[in-house]
Amino acid sequence: MPKAMEGKMNLQYTMSKRRKLGYGWFSSLLLCFIALTEMISNVCSLKDLKIFVPEAVIMGNAATLSCQFELEKATLYSVRWYFEGEEFYRFVPKESPPARTFPVSGITVDGTQSDATSVTLRGVTRDLTGQFQCEVSEDAPLFHTDIRQARMQVVELPKEDPLMQVDKTHITTLDNFRAVCTVGTSFPAANITWYINTKRIHRSPYQRITYRSYEGTPTFSSLEMFPHSQVLQDIYQSMPPFHTSLTVMCEISILHIYTKSAQQRILVSDLVTTISPNLLGLDGSNNRRKNNGDPDNSPLTGGAVGLVGPSTVLLALLVGLRAVSTMLHWNGQLTDRSSGL
């Protein structure tokens, strides 16, 4: 092989070897840099950024938003607050003064109650329903930045208490009835839940519930109950003695900050205890069947008179007095017969 060609091949081999060696050093340096950056990031950078924004605030009240974080050995560069992408508050410790506000419609920052970790808004309006963001940046050399966001709902409460109306105040167990519940204008619209004797009512073919709400108008809900409703059947069967009414209630709620209710009572007439008129001696008959001293052994059925509330107690007392009188009468007759003997 000619010497010129051999020298050329040796040169190419040497250059290739150096190139591979250079790539190896570059890769090693890159890995070291990444590892070093990761170590610095783990030791000195921003950690555990958390945002706390009230889920719901009543319109006109103040709202405090906070941003909690850990810097470890890093230094804070800035904290910035945004509403729907618009910056309205900034805190930079190295500046003087450190806090600055920026004009955003509907936002009024209370500077005396705001700092690096929190910002307080005065007199919130419905326009401030939306997303708030907190952005935190650490100082040189990394300038690591993180951001979190959360939603706030500004609630406008109804000015009037809820109102309930029923179409019937007296029913039997075979009747249906309807109730309507209305609550004043609110934002967001109020939620309405129905109860009968503390049992929650859900929509079904025999338990019809309607709900209507439009922005700027009162919220309306109606309940129509039919006798085949399983809830009513259970209530009627388990109703204790002398308890002869249904308590219909609508509960109004707006998120977790507003709860009120309205209720009406409906009397159920055929659940009333009945007493035979024969037992009271009110049938006008002089025919008294006597059986072991009992002036009347007729059953407590047919021809009954419905009694409600205090009347039931009064008539029960009359029954008791009549029974005592009858017993005394029979005792007197037995005494007379004994004397005759």
Side-chain angles (χ1 to χ4, degrees), residues 64 110-115 118-120:
T64 298
D110 186 346
T112 63
Q113 302 294 323
S114 304
D115 53 27
S118 65
V119 58
T120 298

Side-chain angles (χ1 to χ4, degrees), residues 160 182-186 212-220:
E160 305 87 14
T182 307
V183 61
T185 303
S186 66
R212 187 183 67 201
S213 176
Y214 302 102
E215 186 172 354
T217 64
T219 300
F220 163 93

Side-chain angles (χ1 to χ4, degrees), residues 21-33:
L21 184 62
Y23 286 154
W25 275 104
F26 177 77
S27 299
S28 299
L29 288 173
L30 181 60
L31 290 174
C32 289
F33 176 77

Side-chain angles (χ1 to χ4, degrees), residues 33 36-46 71 74-75 77 137-145:
F33 176 77
L36 181 61
T37 303
E38 187 69 22
M39 289 176 61
I40 295 174
S41 176
N42 289 334
V43 173
C44 302
S45 68
L46 173 67
L71 290 173
T75 303
Y77 175 70
S137 299
E138 66 179 54
D139 209 341
L142 297 180
F143 290 103
H144 180 62
T145 300

Side-chain angles (χ1 to χ4, degrees), residues 76-95:
L76 177 65
Y77 175 70
S78 69
V79 177
R80 302 167 189 257
W81 282 93
Y82 303 87
F83 173 66
E84 296 292 347
E86 291 188 73
E87 185 179 7
F88 65 88
Y89 180 77
R90 180 188 301 174
F91 189 93
V92 182
K94 291 184 177 181
E95 294 183 356

Side-chain angles (χ1 to χ4, degrees), residues 162-173:
L163 175 67
M164 182 196 289
Q165 296 175 311
V166 293
D167 65 342
K168 300 171 184 175
T169 56
H170 294 75
I171 63 170
T172 70
T173 54

Side-chain angles (χ1 to χ4, degrees), residues 263-315:
Q263 63 182 35
Q264 292 279 359
R265 293 185 66 191
I266 299 177
L267 296 179
V268 187
S269 60
D270 55 350
L271 289 178
V272 178
T273 304
T274 58
I275 297 180
S276 168
N278 291 335
L279 187 60
L280 301 177
L282 301 176
D283 62 344
S285 172
N286 292 323
N287 182 20
R288 298 286 186 268
R289 291 179 296 172
K290 300 178 177 56
N291 183 12
N292 296 327
D294 186 356
D296 187 0
N297 61 358
S298 59
L300 302 180
T301 53
V305 178
L307 305 176
V308 180
S311 301
T312 303
V313 178
L314 179 59
L315 289 176

